Each structure stands twice: as structure tokens, then as C-alpha cells.
Amino acid sequence: MTASCIFFCCLLAGLDVPWELSGGRRGTDPGISALERELADSRKMALEKTRRSLGLVPGKLPIRWVLRLGRPADGTGAAKADAGWTEVGEDEVVVTIPAWRYLGFPTKVRRVVIHETVHAVMASKLGTPAAYRALPGWFREGTALLVSGEGPGRVKGRISSTLLEGGRSGGFLSGLVGAAPGSLGGRRVTGAEGYLAVRWIEERLGKSGLRELLAKLGSGGAFEETLGELIGLTPGRVAKAALRYCSERIRGLISERSERLFAEAVALCSTGRHGPARKALSSLRALDGSVAVRDTAVFLQARTLVEDGLYEEAGGLLESLLRDGYEVPWEPEIFEQLGRCRAGVGKRREARSFWKMVADRFPHDGAVQARIAVLLEGGEPREP
């Protein structure tokens, strides 16, 4: 066994300590115990995966792992939209997981723990907040999405949201030239674009090359110079090549024909022409070039069915979108609509259970919370 493996085994042994509980009382909720067990297993898996994928292990800054119990309604501060978050200070790195998001759904925390572990280990290895923030935000986020496996879903979700806003499928791409962490000329470099750019780096350098890049950065190398040296391109050409790769990957996920059909279906939905909309959405889902928007098409189709009172068919479509091991796009809205389906067939108690769960798990989403409040009071909210 090598010295590095011995060190890592000792590190894992030291992480058997429970997650620190913060922001509220533990109480007797059995869901907390199940979540703690999942978090312990997920942390070990995440550290091992980060080591194997990136060659990174914790360094100078210690990492503290926190399970936050108190919800915003308990007076513990503003709600965060994040499924989890990592804060980098001068003396430590703190990874926080909001318990309210995963009670009853503990396996959904796995990818989130891996994601935040990548951020935490990267910061710990670099040793200071300044060194960590000197890396472009798109690279930090893209690397976390790569290792956690969240990247493909993030790209599909971004394509769908861009199309729903009336843009083109690749309209969210900003390019990376001179990008300050997380931004470029006032436009934010999205996590989806960051993930695609990191995928390009990995494909260009290979997995060992990505680990070499991270090792050089961990030893104090400047990002642009180190990346350019390994890839053999100037920063400007790096950005152009990455942008070209991102555009090609997006076009591989949605064809021009699918993009047009999706826009037509959305227009039909917005004008209440549900029958033709469902026909268009069904046709869209059957196309080879519609990978990026298939789940969104299913959700939109289900919503039209709910609005037309076809609750059993709608419920089947909505349930087909959910996954045990991770959150999916539209998850709060999926459960909201499932509640409507239950209420529509007279199962009001089940409906309220869905709506209360959404209220507890997603306190950051003001629009969803407003609709859920009306539903719980027995009213009919305005559609988003």
C-alpha cells in the first residue's frame, strides 16, 4: 500500500465522527437518523470519488460537516435555494446540508454531498479563500458537476429553461475569455456551461491530464497560464475551442426540428389549446433529437392533463419523472401537480401530504410557496 493510500485510509477513519447538528433541536424524528446514516455513507463515497477522479484529498484547511436542522420559519435565517452549500473561511471549510430538503428522501442527498465535497476538498487543498476564489467559478462548479454526475441533467435543464424563456437552445452560452469567477462582462457563466467546458478540458487532456492540471493548481499555478500550457493554446483560443465544443454538445442533445416543435408546443400550451399541445409534445418525445427536452415535455403534457381533469393519466406521467437517488428538474412543481391529481380523485388527505412536503422541502421558492399556501387553504392558485 502506497503512502498516499495509507494517508487516505487514515483520513477516512477520522471521518467516522457524526455530522454536526446546527440550527435546531434534533427531536425524535426518525428521518433525522436515516439522513445521518446516509450522510455518513455519502461522505466516505464522496471523498473516495474525489480522490479517484481528481487526485485530490483534503489539505491545509480542515473541513467541518454540518447538518442544518432549523428551517427559515424557525427564525434561523433566510432560506437558501441551494440543495447544499460550502463556505470557505480563513481557518476552515464548512459544508452544510439543509435537513428539511431530504427528510423522507435521504438518498436524494448523495449527489449533493459529492458535489459539495469536491468544492470543500478543492478549497482545503488550495489552503486559502483567496486561492480558491482565484479559480474561475465556472471551473469550480463544472468540476463538481462532473464528479457528482449532475452535469448532464444540469445541461438539459438549462436548455429547456432557455427555450421556455423564448431563446435558442445554446443561448445561455457566454464564452469564457477573461471570465472572473462566475461571470463574464455582466453575464453569468452558468453551471451547465461550466460543466461542458470542464468536459472539454477532460476530453482534451484525458483524465490523467485533468488530475495533472489540478495538481499544478494545488501547487500554486495560475489557472489561465497552467491550462494554456497543458492544452497548448492561448487563453483566447481556449475559450473559442471550449465554446465550439459546448455548442456541438448542445446540438447533439436537441435538433433544430425538435427545437421548433418544442416552441410550437409551448405556444399551444400558453393559449390553452391542450389537445394540439399534447399531440405536439408526444411527437416531440418520439424524436431522436429531443433528448434535452423530453422530461420537460412530459411535465408540460402532464400539466395540461391536470388542467383538463384527466388526473390518473397525469399522475402516471408525473410519477415517471421522479428518481429515488437525486432531485430532478421541476421537482417542487411535480409534487404540487401530484397533489392536484390526488385532490381531483377525492384523495384530499394525500393531496395535503404532498403540498405540506413541498412547503417543508422548498422554502426558498417563493412562487411555489404562494401557490401551495392557497392550495392548503382549499383555494385554487393562479398557474405559473
Side-chain angles (χ1 to χ4, degrees), residues 326-340:
Y326 55 93
E327 287 183 5
V328 297
W330 305 103
E331 187 143 325
E333 292 86 354
I334 290 170
F335 281 113
E336 174 190 350
Q337 297 297 326
L338 278 171
R340 289 172 178 265

Side-chain angles (χ1 to χ4, degrees), residues 135-176:
L135 298 183
W138 63 261
F139 179 76
R140 302 194 311 257
E141 184 66 9
T143 303
L145 291 170
L146 175 71
V147 178
S148 67
E150 299 166 297
R154 188 68 64 87
V155 173
K156 293 174 188 176
R158 178 57 62 177
I159 291 171
S160 290
S161 62
T162 302
L163 292 174
L164 286 169
E165 292 166 0
R168 298 298 304 274
S169 56
F172 65 90
L173 297 176
S174 299
L176 307 173

Side-chain angles (χ1 to χ4, degrees), residues 71-119:
R71 295 180 178 84
D74 300 328
T76 56
K80 280 180 175 281
D82 309 59
W85 57 91
T86 298
E87 297 166 297
V88 183
E90 294 293 340
D91 302 316
E92 65 176 358
V93 180
V94 181
V95 174
T96 302
I97 298 295
W100 59 84
R101 187 95 164 214
Y102 306 103
L103 289 176
F105 302 88
T107 58
K108 289 183 181 286
V109 82
R110 291 176 188 171
R111 288 188 176 185
V112 179
V113 172
I114 296 171
H115 183 118
E116 298 306 327
T117 295
V118 171
H119 286 302

Side-chain angles (χ1 to χ4, degrees), residues 20-32:
E20 176 184 325
L21 303 183
S22 172
R25 295 181 179 180
R26 189 180 195 284
T28 58
D29 188 339
I32 295 292

Side-chain angles (χ1 to χ4, degrees), residues 47-89:
L47 286 163
E48 173 64 13
K49 194 165 187 177
T50 302
R51 182 184 73 85
R52 289 185 179 277
S53 300
L54 305 176
L56 292 178
V57 296
K60 178 181 176 181
L61 289 177
I63 304 173
R64 186 157 56 93
W65 310 82
V66 176
L67 176 60
R68 187 167 183 81
L69 300 178
R71 295 180 178 84
D74 300 328
T76 56
K80 280 180 175 281
D82 309 59
W85 57 91
T86 298
E87 297 166 297
V88 183

